[in-house]
């Protein structure tokens, strides 16, 4: 299997896949084969005698987790089905179902979705006599979610709150959280925050999961928030076998608390980090990459890299100015139809 795992890899991909112990940061430019590197690295670890049960792979969406597990299965067989390859939230649910009683919850605790959470916040706003037009449930929910993504409890957020709006939101947060506990429920943000609290306050529980997961791999690290970063740091601080894959130029989850500093400061958390940059692009032509490089070089606090390809220069880029998003969408859909209708490309190639 080892030959299969390492075949068709460029030198940078090979270096990342066959990295031994210790922290590894893979700075993966767009279209550079990061999913291939992640899945091949997992397969390589298994080929070196690492138990599949001691590997934890984390990504951001169920679709990405499913694709990753499928690719690993093609390399290592059905043993991939027994691995923890999941989103942050799914992994935390599995941990909390086992450890909830340590936090005062039953193992069959209820998980509130966005609508459940917003409904409870609406009741709290009503019960304490706040104006629902001034304190809109969705807005207050976003404030509470942001606080939880920073790892702040209701009391901590109350101390930090500035101005009457935040102070009132902190009051709602406190009552909301009390009612959640009374109902034996957690919202999506609690799933992450409660695992971090578990690891902070119960060293024996933390040690058991550090021993369980000998290697931890995290995709899209640039999209982690403060709580997710702390979770990974605590989980890996004993063995330090953590692989972070990401690119600060591709961060898309700032609106839900993603903090690019997590990937930019990864080497501060793990000073002995090996850094591998994947700069060869397999998706685009050089003209596209040159334009992208020219734009992203102006990004703040980014790690320098220069995407390149062996696909040639390609067609020149067309720049189109649209008056609004509707005209933009019409232009894009019109171009797609023109390229497909002319027989130049199939839909799957675009």
């Amino acid at each position: 299997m080892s030959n299969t795992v390492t075949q068709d890899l460029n030198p940078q991909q090979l270096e990342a896949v066959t990295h031994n112990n210790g922290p590894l940061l893979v700075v993966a430019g767009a279209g550079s084969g990061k999913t291939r590197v992640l899945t091949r690295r997992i397969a390589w670890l298994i080929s070196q005698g690492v138990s599949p049960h001691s590997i934890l792979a984390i990504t951001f969406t169920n679709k990405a987790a499913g694709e990753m597990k499928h690719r690993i299965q093609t390399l290592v067989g059905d043993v991939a089905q027994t691995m923890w390859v999941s989103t942050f939230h799914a992994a935390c649910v599995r941990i909390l179902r086992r450890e909830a009683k340590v936090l005062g919850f039953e193992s069959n605790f209820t998980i509130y979705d966005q609508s459940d959470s917003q409904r409870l916040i609406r009741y709290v706003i009503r019960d304490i006599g706040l104006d629902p037009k001034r304190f809109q449930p969705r807005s207050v929910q976003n404030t509470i979610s942001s606080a939880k993504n920073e790892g702040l409890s209701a009391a901590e957020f109350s101390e930090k709150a500035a101005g009457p709006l935040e102070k009132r939101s902190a009051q709602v947060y406190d009552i909301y959280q009390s009612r959640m506990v009374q109902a034996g429920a957690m919202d999506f943000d609690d799933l992450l925050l409660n695992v971090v609290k578990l690891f902070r306050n119960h060293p024996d529980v933390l040690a058991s999961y550090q021993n369980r997961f000998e290697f931890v791999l995290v995709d899209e690290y640039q999209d982690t928030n403060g709580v997710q970063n702390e979770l990974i740091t605590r989980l890996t601080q004993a063995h330090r076998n953590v692989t972070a894959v990401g690119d600060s130029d591709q961060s898309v989850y700032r609106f839900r608390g993603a903090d690019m500093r997590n990937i930019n400061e990864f080497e501060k958390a793990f000073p002995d980090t090996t850094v591998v940059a994947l700069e060869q692009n397999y998706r685009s032509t050089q003209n596209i990459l040159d334009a992208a490089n020219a734009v992203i070089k102006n990004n703040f606090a980014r790690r320098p890299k220069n995407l390149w390809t062996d696909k040639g220069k390609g067609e020149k880029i067309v720049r189109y100015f649209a008056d609004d998003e509707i005209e933009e969408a019409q232009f894009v859909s019109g171009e797609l139809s023109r390229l497909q209708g002319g027989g130049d490309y199939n839909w799957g190639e675009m």
Side-chain angles (χ1 to χ4, degrees), residues 169-181:
S169 295
Q171 183 184 4
V172 175
Y173 181 5
D174 185 41
I175 298 171
Y176 165 77
Q177 205 62 29
S178 295
R179 293 187 183 181
M180 290 270 288
V181 173

Side-chain angles (χ1 to χ4, degrees), residues 122-157:
R122 186 181 300 113
Y123 292 155
V124 174
I125 289 172
R126 178 200 65 190
D127 292 347
I128 63 177
L130 296 179
D131 181 358
K133 291 183 179 179
R134 189 180 182 200
F135 294 90
Q136 296 181 358
R138 178 178 294 181
S139 177
V140 176
Q141 181 187 44
N142 289 338
T143 299
I144 294 172
S145 178
S146 295
K148 289 184 177 183
N149 287 334
E150 292 179 28
L152 299 176
S153 66
E156 290 167 335
F157 180 63

Side-chain angles (χ1 to χ4, degrees), residues 272-342:
D272 54 334
T273 294
T274 297
V275 180
V276 178
L278 304 183
E279 297 178 309
Q280 183 176 359
N281 178 284
Y282 294 92
R283 186 184 299 158
S284 305
T285 58
Q286 194 62 51
N287 278 331
I288 293 173
L289 297 180
D290 288 344
N293 287 329
V295 172
I296 63 178
K297 73 179 182 180
N298 299 304
N299 287 0
F300 175 73
R302 66 182 294 265
R303 180 181 292 277
K305 64 179 180 302
N306 194 54
L307 299 176
W308 64 275
T309 184
D310 58 8
K311 290 181 175 292
K313 297 292 286 185
E315 297 178 22
K316 290 185 178 180
I317 291 175
V318 174
R319 184 170 56 177
Y320 178 79
F321 291 91
D323 289 332
D324 54 34
E325 68 274 16
I326 295 175
E327 186 180 338
E328 179 184 1
Q330 289 172 340
F331 171 76
V332 172
S333 60
E335 284 296 291
L336 292 170
S337 296
R338 180 183 65 80
L339 292 169
Q340 191 273 340

Side-chain angles (χ1 to χ4, degrees), residues 12 15-16 19 22-28 37 41 216 218 220-222 240-248 260-268 270 272-278 303:
Q12 290 72 37
E15 181 183 359
H19 175 77
L24 170 67
L25 174 61
V26 181
V27 181
V37 167
R41 174 152 177 74
V216 177
V218 186
E220 308 290 8
Y221 208 86
Q222 76 278 355
R240 305 173 66 77
N241 291 326
V242 54
T243 298
V245 180
D247 179 9
S248 58
M260 289 189 298
R261 287 177 298 181
N262 293 339
I263 190 167
N264 289 335
E265 297 180 5
F266 186 83
E267 292 167 86
K268 291 184 180 178
F270 301 98
D272 54 334
T273 294
T274 297
V275 180
V276 178
L278 304 183
R303 180 181 292 277

Side-chain angles (χ1 to χ4, degrees), residues 84-105:
W84 280 39
V85 181
S86 68
T87 63
F88 271 102
H89 289 88
C92 287
V93 169
R94 292 182 71 171
I95 292 172
L96 290 170
R97 292 296 184 200
R98 298 178 182 182
E99 313 293 346
K101 291 187 177 180
V102 178
L103 298 172
F105 288 85

Side-chain angles (χ1 to χ4, degrees), residues 43-84:
W44 184 83
L45 288 171
I46 294 172
S47 75
Q48 302 303 300
V50 176
S51 169
H53 301 284
S54 66
I55 299 173
L56 170 64
I58 297 288
T59 188
F60 271 83
T61 67
N62 290 322
K63 181 180 179 181
E67 179 186 351
M68 189 183 299
K69 183 172 284 189
H70 175 72
R71 289 202 194 186
I72 296 169
Q73 186 172 8
T74 62
L75 293 167
V76 303
D78 291 340
V79 71
Q81 293 301 319
T82 66
M83 290 177 55
W84 280 39

